[in-house]
Amino acid sequence: MSVFTGSCVALVTPFTDEGVNFESLANLIEFQIREGTDAILVCGTTGEPSTMTRDEKYSVIGFTVEKVAKRVPVIAGTGGYNTATVIEDSKEAERLGADALLIVTPYYNKTTQKGLIQHYAAIADAVHIPIIIYNVPGRTGLNVAPSTLKELSKIDNIVGIKEASGNIAQVTEMARLCGDKIDIYSGDDNIVVPILALGGKGVISVVANIAPRDTHEMVVKFLNGDIEGSRKLQFKLNPLIEALFLEVNPIPVKTALNLMGMNAGKLRMPLTDMSEQNLEILKKRMLEYGLKIQQ
């Protein structure tokens, strides 16, 4: 059973100087559901969990579950480099009502492929809800090998992978080895259609924060057989996506939401405001796409 099919937004976390802005978070959630987003991820990379306290993360997960009220699945990001801490956070996310977990590979201390298998197996044994592995070697310095994913696919509640290696050959091998035992989701907004062509189920998306309808439609069109329509949306989205990665995520997408009047709030250090040069490029791409800038 898939956690979701389509587009899952990797939602930003709106902050004030005092903490999380739950009023803005509620508005962002409603905007996403209204625009057709198929699932909502909180406390993923785009949500800046590395700068959040444990209480803030738990509060955001619990609030989102309550606000969404089962209209779409809620996925909680609970990954980290300490297996015991990941287990504790994952159990709490399950208790709070999350429908699934997104768990990034250990970073900084990293591990071996054998260690990856043991890490995920221990987490899966501690919870009952589905787990989606997050492979993003550009951030973690650690790659999930296709053969490792095949081993992990034998664990009942490990059901998917967010694949953000950017390596289509690797995704192809994962699909070949794992078949229908693992749902593959694109973790790179600019190659959603190629991954769908390999049997992918959708995308866990940054651009969906500001263009949720088109991101959803890109996947739906492909899965319904409108390959040309899906490809056109990928081509339409890609210049905007490029602008969202001029600086490290989520700096540009949070800036874009604020430009749209969505009150995404401040970035937390060590993330800082965009350079003027990149900000002008972002504004230009947003206007070319058809997004309205209010400030």
Side-chain angles (χ1 to χ4, degrees):
M1 184 70 178
S2 299
V3 175
F4 75 96
T5 299
S7 170
C8 171
V9 63
L11 197 66
V12 303
T13 306
F15 297 123
T16 66
D17 289 334
E18 286 71 44
V20 177
N21 184 337
F22 287 101
E23 182 180 354
S24 287
L25 180 58
N27 291 336
L28 291 171
I29 289 167
E30 291 303 326
F31 170 65
Q32 288 295 324
I33 293 175
R34 190 166 63 247
E35 290 297 306
T37 287
D38 302 286
I40 293 175
L41 165 68
V42 289
C43 299
T45 306
T46 309
E48 300 173 80
S50 300
T51 65
M52 295 168 71
T53 67
R54 178 171 264 177
D55 284 347
E56 283 178 329
K57 286 187 275 191
Y58 291 171
S59 294
V60 165
I61 293 166
F63 179 88
T64 303
V65 168
E66 185 176 340
K67 186 67 179 172
V68 170
K70 297 294 181 184
R71 288 176 288 174
V72 297
V74 174
I75 304 169
T78 56
Y81 50 72
N82 180 327
T83 306
T85 300
V86 175
I87 287 172
E88 189 175 343
D89 288 348
S90 298
K91 289 168 75 173
E92 181 63 12
E94 180 176 29
R95 189 192 70 78
L96 289 166
D99 297 292
L101 306 170
L102 180 73
I103 300 180
V104 71
T105 58
Y107 43 88
Y108 187 64
N109 59 1
K110 304 195 289 186
T111 187
T112 61
Q113 296 297 304
K114 175 184 175 183
L116 272 179
I117 292 168
Q118 292 184 10
H119 174 75
Y120 280 108
I123 300 161
D125 188 56
V127 298
H128 302 94
I129 55 177
I131 291 170
I132 300 171
I133 294 166
Y134 182 16
N135 188 39
V136 58
R139 280 188 181 264
T140 63
L142 176 64
N143 183 53
V144 177
S147 58
T148 299
L149 186 64
K150 182 180 179 183
E151 285 303 306
L152 290 170
S153 73
K154 297 174 183 177
I155 299 171
D156 286 345
N157 59 331
I158 294 180
V159 302
I161 185 166
K162 177 185 178 183
E163 232 298 327
S165 69
N167 184 342
I168 290 294
Q170 173 166 285
V171 180
T172 304
E173 184 66 358
M174 287 175 168
R176 185 185 75 84
L177 288 175
C178 298
D180 59 3
K181 291 183 178 178
I182 285 284
D183 289 337
I184 299 175
Y185 299 103
S186 179
D188 293 304
D189 285 329
N190 59 355
I191 53 171
V192 177
V193 169
I195 287 178
L196 291 173
L198 292 168
K201 289 293 181 71
V203 59
I204 299 177
S205 172
V206 175
V207 74
N209 277 278
I210 60 172
R213 177 66 62 180
D214 279 353
T215 310
H216 162 82
E217 286 295 329
M218 174 172 55
V219 179
V220 169
K221 284 179 182 294
F222 189 98
L223 296 177
N224 287 340
D226 182 5
I227 309 303
E228 180 60 24
S230 177
R231 187 163 56 230
K232 284 180 177 177
L233 281 171
Q234 180 80 82
F235 292 162
K236 178 187 176 186
L237 281 160
N238 274 14
L240 182 62
I241 292 163
E242 182 182 44
L244 293 182
F245 290 89
L246 288 169
E247 295 184 14
V248 68
N249 179 52
I251 293 173
V253 73
K254 210 165 191 182
T255 304
L257 282 165
N258 286 327
L259 289 169
M260 293 166 66
M262 301 289 283
N263 195 18
K266 300 184 174 189
L267 294 148
R268 281 186 170 173
M269 291 281 281
L271 301 185
T272 57
D273 292 340
M274 290 186 80
S275 71
E276 283 300 320
Q277 180 181 2
N278 286 337
L279 179 59
E280 290 309 310
I281 296 171
L282 175 63
K283 288 179 178 178
K284 182 172 182 288
R285 296 285 175 84
M286 290 173 67
L287 291 171
E288 288 171 349
Y289 192 84
L291 296 173
K292 293 180 180 177
I293 294 177
Q294 295 187 13
Q295 52 176 277

